[in-house]
Amino acid sequence: MKTVVVGLPEREAFAVSLLMSKLRPDWEFQSQPADVDSVPADLYVLDADAWQERHGTQSGTAKLQALVKQKPAVLLTAPVAPRPEAQAQADAAARDWGDCGWVVLRRPFRAAAMGEALRRAEQRVGGLAEAPADVAKPAEQAHDTPEAPGAAPNSLAAADRGQRPGVQDSGGVTRFSSAFFTTTVQSALDGAPAPSNAGLPPPDITDDELTLEAFAACVPTAPSAECRRFLGALAERLAQPGVFEMSFTLMNGIVFDRATNWVASNTPMSVVRMVARSRSLGTYVKTTDLDARVEPCARARQRGMQEHRLGALLHAFARMAECRLPAP
């Protein structure tokens, strides 16, 4: 099973990937540009505005039907337009999309709103939904409320405000920003050619392994400068002693222990690949040395991490970055 997001800005696609890793942990995840012609998926999340800009208002819906076919889809749109005529046009388009069986969700929105939109989209395709629901209005989502259970916290939006992703209020409840996804920051890679394996699923972690020395030697052969920078920094840290954790969000991370050739992770490879290919997303990754009193295996179990051999993960990372691997 696979989720495909189409036309989303880089940061927004990253946030959706984290949410889907919680809602659909066994599914593949891909991000595609708005000019994609055909990509199979079991669930689509599309930037409707980017799609219309690329394909036009008149032919955009027909092309979208050809892409989505009978699969569930959530279409993201801009907030309420400032001019009445523009808003009337947007409302008409939303009604047409609703008639096609797609769920329309206006920005900004919380993780819970996205989760509900995905549920409604799947219900419609399965014939379980009743009359099409109205377009969600930003005003209905404007208050900070606790995230849905299992939803990924808004670490990106919180970082934009200079805050920690989770904030304890006076009642002791952890609350997150109502704007789960930000749309003002465009992809640092906009206009850049997609990697040759952009449409392929990320590599699995297999029994093949690389030593740290072999990994460090092949990192410079990665076609992507962002991958070279990200994996090069990892190789440099692994060359130093001590157990450390690479954190992607409050919940997602990877614990490394080179001394025992051991690693544990609860971060999907699709997320690692997206971060590795982006300089802007890479700035949100934090590396923390673990205190000597912390038992790595116990920490991994507590966070629901899966254990691997370090060499196997390094081999998967090298394949993810399309490095030239050493001859067997």
Side-chain angles (χ1 to χ4, degrees):
M1 307 292 280
K2 180 170 64 176
T3 301
V4 171
V5 298
V6 178
L8 270 63
E10 180 186 41
R11 287 159 55 91
E12 195 169 38
F14 175 60
V16 172
S17 73
L18 292 178
L19 177 60
M20 293 307 299
S21 72
K22 304 300 177 185
L23 299 178
R24 305 287 187 274
D26 298 327
W27 285 33
E28 297 177 19
F29 181 91
Q30 289 185 22
S31 178
Q32 296 287 347
D35 59 358
V36 64
D37 292 323
S38 176
V39 55
D42 299 284
L43 174 66
Y44 292 89
V45 179
L46 303 102
D47 187 321
D49 301 314
W51 183 269
Q52 281 192 323
E53 181 179 356
R54 176 68 183 181
H55 300 281
T57 303
Q58 299 300 325
S59 61
T61 299
K63 291 183 177 180
L64 191 53
Q65 286 177 316
L67 172 69
V68 174
K69 298 181 175 64
Q70 300 300 316
K71 298 298 184 180
V74 174
L75 275 57
L76 308 182
T77 65
V80 177
R83 293 182 291 111
E85 59 273 20
Q87 185 57 47
Q89 184 179 9
D91 290 341
R95 286 192 295 271
D96 291 341
W97 294 331
D99 291 340
C100 293
W102 306 324
V103 174
V104 180
L105 185 62
R106 282 183 182 152
R107 298 175 171 105
F109 48 85
R110 296 178 290 109
M114 170 59 83
E116 173 64 15
L118 294 171
R119 184 189 65 80
R120 285 163 44 199
E122 292 175 331
Q123 282 186 338
R124 289 188 183 187
V125 171
L128 301 178
E130 299 177 356
D134 293 335
V135 179
K137 298 178 176 60
E140 298 172 350
Q141 307 159 13
H143 302 289
D144 286 356
T145 56
E147 292 289 0
N154 182 14
S155 58
L156 301 185
D160 287 340
R161 300 190 306 274
Q163 299 176 354
R164 296 178 61 186
V167 180
Q168 294 286 335
D169 66 10
S170 57
V173 178
T174 301
R175 298 178 180 272
F176 299 95
S177 168
S178 60
F180 181 71
F181 302 121
T182 58
T183 58
T184 55
V185 179
Q186 296 298 317
S187 168
L189 303 180
D190 280 350
S196 61
N197 65 355
L200 300 177
D204 294 325
I205 300 174
T206 65
D207 293 334
D208 296 323
E209 296 190 35
L210 282 179
T211 64
L212 176 58
E213 292 73 17
F215 175 73
C218 73
V219 164
T221 68
S224 165
E226 287 74 20
C227 280
R228 294 195 298 270
R229 185 179 298 105
F230 181 84
L231 297 181
L234 173 61
E236 290 179 2
R237 177 58 189 86
L238 284 169
Q240 303 172 24
V243 182
F244 66 96
E245 181 170 357
M246 178 182 288
S247 300
F248 294 82
T249 69
L250 286 178
M251 296 183 291
N252 293 87
I254 306 175
V255 178
F256 295 86
D257 185 358
R258 185 195 174 194
T260 60
N261 193 33
W262 176 91
V263 66
S265 172
N266 62 2
T267 305
M269 285 291 289
S270 58
V271 171
V272 177
R273 180 171 66 176
M274 190 176 298
V275 172
R277 289 175 173 173
S278 166
R279 183 181 305 181
S280 60
L281 293 181
T283 61
Y284 292 97
V285 178
K286 305 300 180 185
T287 300
T288 306
D289 294 335
L290 295 187
D291 190 281
R293 294 169 294 182
V294 175
E295 208 287 309
C297 291
R299 182 176 181 85
R301 287 192 297 270
Q302 182 183 28
R303 302 190 64 184
M305 293 180 168
Q306 185 175 357
E307 300 181 22
H308 305 279
R309 292 179 63 82
L310 172 60
L313 183 67
L314 295 182
H315 196 281
F317 279 179
R319 286 182 285 123
M320 171 194 74
E322 299 183 87
C323 298
R324 290 198 297 271
L325 298 174

